Amino acid sequence: MANAPLSAGSLPLREALCDLAARYHQLGWMRGTSGNLSASFPGDEGQRLVVITASGHPKGSLALEDFVEVNLGGDVVGAGPGQRPSAETSIHLAIYRRRPGAGVALHVHTVASTVLDAPEGAPGIVDCTGYEMVKGWGLWDEGATALLPVFENHADVPRIAGEIEEWLLDGGGVPALVIRRHGLTAWGDDLLSADRHLEVAEFLC
């Protein structure tokens, strides 16, 4: 059965995400078809939905139909013609489920985050405490702890999402994370804050 079309309610978000994807592509953060950008929005009867870039598209030339819409359980509720969700959708949904205030989640493949020499662990931790840039994560207090988690890059992406969701359930920390030899994800209340959190994380990587 064909998916329902994309909703009008997600159109402004899709426009903004297309613009952001083009900028990240120019920066070299979304080469080829890598990365995913998403935003949450209210659906019918107050249901929280997520619109996310569809699988397999070059991020430098996204069209407004190159998206899918899913609920927090991962069910597709709308899609552009022929579009399907990426496996990395599960990572975004883990963030939205455990961070109800998050409105935007951004996943990119920067060089610095991909080759980051991080400690082993479940997750490994990169201690960014004391760096001036952590203020961009909202950590203004002197000596505020800033621990960036680094998760293992399992071939089974939902397994990565499960480990991220467990980390967030236990409290998590900064609004960003790294997947080892894979890339960087950050989130925020809106597009501006998520973008700022991503830039801070990239700088610290």
Side-chain angles (χ1 to χ4, degrees):
M1 184 173 64
N3 292 316
L6 293 163
S7 65
S10 71
L11 179 58
L13 297 172
R14 285 182 274 135
E15 291 174 335
L17 293 176
C18 282
D19 290 343
L20 197 59
R23 179 161 72 85
Y24 289 163
H25 176 75
Q26 290 178 340
L27 288 170
W29 293 5
M30 300 187 86
R31 292 300 190 192
T33 62
S34 67
N36 310 91
L37 309 179
S38 71
S40 67
F41 67 102
D44 295 337
E45 302 177 357
Q47 183 184 29
R48 192 178 183 204
L49 301 178
V50 172
V51 61
I52 185 167
T53 49
S55 179
H57 288 281
K59 300 309 187 295
S61 56
L62 278 180
L64 293 174
E65 295 297 309
D66 296 337
F67 289 83
V68 296
E69 296 168 346
V70 297
N71 61 27
L72 292 188
D75 301 314
V76 176
V77 298
Q83 307 304 328
R84 58 184 178 83
S86 162
E88 291 172 344
T89 299
S90 60
I91 295 172
H92 291 250
L93 295 180
I95 292 167
Y96 290 120
R97 283 193 293 263
R98 298 306 175 194
R99 291 292 179 268
V104 173
L106 309 171
H107 171 58
V108 296
H109 292 201
T110 71
V111 173
S113 64
T114 300
V115 302
L116 181 67
D117 184 15
E120 296 292 331
I125 298 295
V126 175
D127 191 348
C128 301
T129 301
Y131 286 96
E132 179 71 12
M133 285 292 285
V134 303
K135 292 178 179 178
W137 282 336
L139 301 176
W140 290 89
D141 294 338
E142 186 173 355
T145 301
L147 305 179
L148 180 66
V150 181
F151 294 87
E152 293 303 319
N153 186 26
H154 306 298
D156 178 17
V157 178
R159 181 181 173 189
I160 304 173
E163 293 178 356
I164 290 171
E165 189 156 7
E166 183 177 355
W167 167 260
L168 294 172
L169 185 61
D170 288 341
V174 302
L177 60 90
V178 172
I179 301 172
R180 193 184 304 275
R181 298 182 180 180
H182 181 148
L184 174 66
T185 301
W187 57 91
D189 295 348
D190 51 29
L191 195 73
L192 289 177
S193 62
D195 181 48
R196 181 177 71 253
H197 296 161
L198 188 72
E199 288 187 347
V200 168
E202 164 61 10
F203 178 90
L204 290 168
C205 285

